[in-house]
Amino acid sequence: MRYAPLAAMYPTQNHPGALWLVSRATRPREIHEAWAGGRTPAIEIGRRFDVIHLPAGAVEGGIAGVRTDDVVEEAFRGAGIGYGVVVTRRRDVYSVLVRAGIARTWAVGGTRAVGADDHLRYLRVPHPGRREGPGGFWLLPVPHEDGVLAGAGEVRALLARFAEGGEDGRRVVWKR
């Protein structure tokens, strides 16, 4: 006798990005419950992905004119980053999900990488469908597989674009 599959209890159980995010979580149900309740759960970094935190000034400093979400998104895409960028509630940090293991060798001043070796390795992750504020949101879509994660080269390309000066020639000064 063949049984019909059980219905999903939470809408995010049918979202490919949400399923990818929780696929290595120890308690995926609690994460789905948090999203359903409008909360922002913490997902452990280092199992599926590492994170590089970029200060907003480093990302937006080289953008001439109005820094809308569309313009900032285009800057990420122009560097080859197409998925996995979370903007904090205060819009002061862009957290880029990168391939697991990158944090071990990342050493770029003014940024912070978090991976499996860090003792505080959790990221507050907004609902996978949340693509605008207020509050934290996904500037770029939630990754749905490991192959779409950014590498160190793409993040360095984004930072180099603005460290050398944006379209108007301004320079970003890195805090060491």
Side-chain angles (χ1 to χ4, degrees), residues 80-105:
I81 301 169
Y83 290 89
V85 177
V86 176
V87 181
T88 59
R89 178 181 55 84
R90 294 185 320 203
R91 302 179 74 93
D92 58 345
V93 174
Y94 293 93
S95 298
V96 182
L97 278 62
V98 295
R99 295 180 200 110
I102 288 178
R104 287 187 181 111
T105 59

Side-chain angles (χ1 to χ4, degrees), residues 54-63 75 79 108-111 155-176:
L54 308 174
V59 174
E60 300 170 359
I63 298 175
V108 176
T111 66
V155 179
R156 282 190 180 97
L158 174 76
L159 295 172
R161 176 179 173 189
F162 297 130
E164 293 170 5
E167 296 168 15
D168 64 352
R170 287 183 290 164
R171 291 189 164 274
V172 173
V173 178
W174 297 102
K175 296 178 183 173
R176 303 258 181 222

Side-chain angles (χ1 to χ4, degrees), residues 68-80:
T68 64
D69 291 340
D70 292 337
V71 172
V72 176
E73 180 178 338
E74 186 55 38
F76 276 98
R77 290 187 186 280

